[in-house]
Amino acid sequence: MKDMSTLQKLRLQYKPRLPAILKSGVSSIKPKLGRPTSSIADADKLKEMFDHNFGKPVITFGKGKNSSYNKKAIKVGVVLSGGQAAGGHNVIAGLFDGLKKVNKNNKLIGFLGGPSGIIDGKMMEITDKIMDAYRNTGGFDIIQSGRTKIETPEQFAKSKQNIVGNGISALVVVGGDDSNTNAALLAEYFAKENAPVQVIGVPKTIDGDLKNDMIETSFGFDTATRIYAETVGNICRDVNSARKYWHFVRLMGRSASHITLEVAFQTQPNVAFIGEEVLAKKMTFAQIIDSLAKVVVERAENKKNFGVVLVPEGLIEFVPEFKTLIKSLNDVLAKYETDLAKLDSVRAKKDFIYTKLEPGLASLMKSMPDGIESQLILDRDPHGNVMVSQIETEKLLVDMLDRKLREMKKEGTYSGKFAAITHFFGYEGRCGFPTNFDSNYCYALGYNAVMLIVNGFTGYMSSIRNLTKDPSMWNAGGVPLTMMMNIERRKGEDKPVIQKALVELDGKPFKAWAAMRDRLAVNDEYLFPGPVQYYGPAELVDATTKTLQYEKGKK
Ligand code: FBP
């Protein structure tokens, strides 16, 4: 047997806790169907696009005799899509155990390397032995992940061929909003083609932006925010001890600032930017720098030349002038892809791009530090997103703030010392051992997906709710994927997409932060959450995120 750390060995033995309803045998779990549903917007268009799946009811599993579930042996495929999030292995464990419980001859097939594994027919059967080596562990390494999008008619046809040809009758897509949009398209395609394949989605992303009334949180958010909060808390303590540096910490969260908000609750830094607020207030970059300078000056007057600032990685895309620049860059990069590919130096590419941008945007780009400028023109991901994890916004902030403070010094309006250290916490948080919450939640999501499959449902997302309660009291069911969709403009075209959940400025979590931040900017009320705990008192090992607690009125 391979060498393992003590925690690895212990976590393999952890038994995730299932909601009471899912503990009943499948013949005692009855799906209850709600009313027909609609979408969050653009119902007529979506109805046309998804005429087989649109309008399905929400499903809630309750206790009751059920003799009509599928008892025959089936093969189910699973794919992990997009960025890693702690708990993916437990989704697979829930699927595996659920399938074997219903019929010991059921099989679970993992598609390798993300959706490209479906297109290329790369797969492996998950056996007992394989599964047992990954229970309650972080990462997606059991079958790996990828960001390929199934979009061309050929890719859809190949997917069908590989799924149907291998006798797989259901596919579970574990992913974020883009991947679950892809799951909805696949479900519709199979239905149109009369292919006997069900599709079920599972809500994954550390970013926490796949949530709504029926999906309380995406998995991985709990673990990632706790890991970041541990380190940010340590930095707060370092800052308070050395009292000579400002630390700027950029945290993952490509399009939404939920991670930054949650880490702010857990650590109480001096400043935390919330991108959604920057957008709503149409704050320019200069205004962001002014707001930072105000805090630095005020603290310096109190002899505090130190502090901690949290920055969501997506901040740059929320600043109106950058948003416009990035949008134009997206168009230029797409339109002149072949011309740019012929240019072999970054300098030449930049010079070419300047000529294709509006003059104002070209000069904004030129005003930025060289490194940032280069990061802005990196390749986009397959869904057309800027890879903000590569853009060092925290360095841009420090650079601009430093310039501003130097000017203020000359004017005599600032006399402190400003020395900054920058950090990016992103990949560190995605593959940690899942917290007990993520271990339990993910196992339940996988097990519940099996219940949806054997009861014949397709085009649904596995949904486990009531998450601030003890796992035994969690509710289980399914939400139609089309219910979460609207139409958005992507790469110049109208596309059906699952709507991203951004931080709501009139929501309880943001209001709670807004009520405390002025105090925290000047006072030092840092919190030190310490490392994730897996064993010990329930208040330490089972608590859910503050965001969820605020949203559910528990705080
Ligand atoms: P998903 O939305 O796929 O879960 O990924 C989220 C994320 O962790 C972001 O926070 C981050 O910007 C991105 O992945 C980085 O991934 P990559 O290294 O593939 O660009």
Side-chain angles (χ1 to χ4, degrees), residues 111 116-123 162 166:
F111 285 101
S116 63
I118 306 180
I119 301 168
D120 302 335
K122 293 195 176 137
M123 62 193 96
N162 288 327
N166 282 287

Side-chain angles (χ1 to χ4, degrees), residues 82-83 147 204-207 252-254 313 387 389 427 430:
R147 287 198 185 276
K204 170 237 71 166
T205 176
I206 62 160
D207 292 1
M252 264 191 180
R254 189 171 39 193
E313 67 171 358
M387 296 200 271
S389 62
Y427 297 96
R430 305 201 303 182

Side-chain angles (χ1 to χ4, degrees), residues 257 272-285 287-288 291 312 314-322 505 510 517:
S257 310
F273 285 106
I274 301 302
E276 290 80 344
E277 184 184 23
V278 167
L279 181 68
K281 291 187 172 164
K282 297 195 172 52
M283 282 174 86
T284 60
F285 206 68
Q287 285 170 323
I288 293 178
S291 73
L315 181 73
I316 195 153
E317 279 198 282
F318 282 108
V319 180
E321 72 243 44
F322 282 108
L505 301 185
F510 179 77
R517 63 179 165 184

Side-chain angles (χ1 to χ4, degrees), residues 81-85 147 175-179 204-207 209 228 251-255 259 313 381 386-390 424 426-427 430 500:
S81 183
Q84 280 71 252
R147 287 198 185 276
D177 52 333
D178 284 333
S179 310
K204 170 237 71 166
T205 176
I206 62 160
D207 292 1
D209 56 8
Y228 301 142
L251 294 163
M252 264 191 180
R254 189 171 39 193
S255 311
I259 291 182
E313 67 171 358
D381 80 1
V386 181
M387 296 200 271
V388 279
S389 62
Q390 320 271 331
F424 170 45
Y427 297 96
R430 305 201 303 182
K500 251 186 216 309

Side-chain angles (χ1 to χ4, degrees), residues 211-225:
K211 63 177 172 181
N212 48 54
D213 292 347
M214 310 304 287
I215 303 295
E216 295 180 1
T217 188
S218 54
F219 79 77
F221 177 69
D222 187 85
T223 308
T225 51

Side-chain angles (χ1 to χ4, degrees), residues 222-251:
D222 187 85
T223 308
T225 51
R226 272 165 214 270
I227 293 174
Y228 301 142
E230 179 202 352
T231 318
V232 171
N234 295 347
I235 288 176
C236 290
R237 195 142 237 169
D238 196 292
V239 143
N240 208 19
S241 310
R243 300 187 161 230
K244 59 178 178 180
Y245 296 124
W246 275 86
H247 285 257
F248 282 67
V249 185
R250 175 166 51 107
L251 294 163

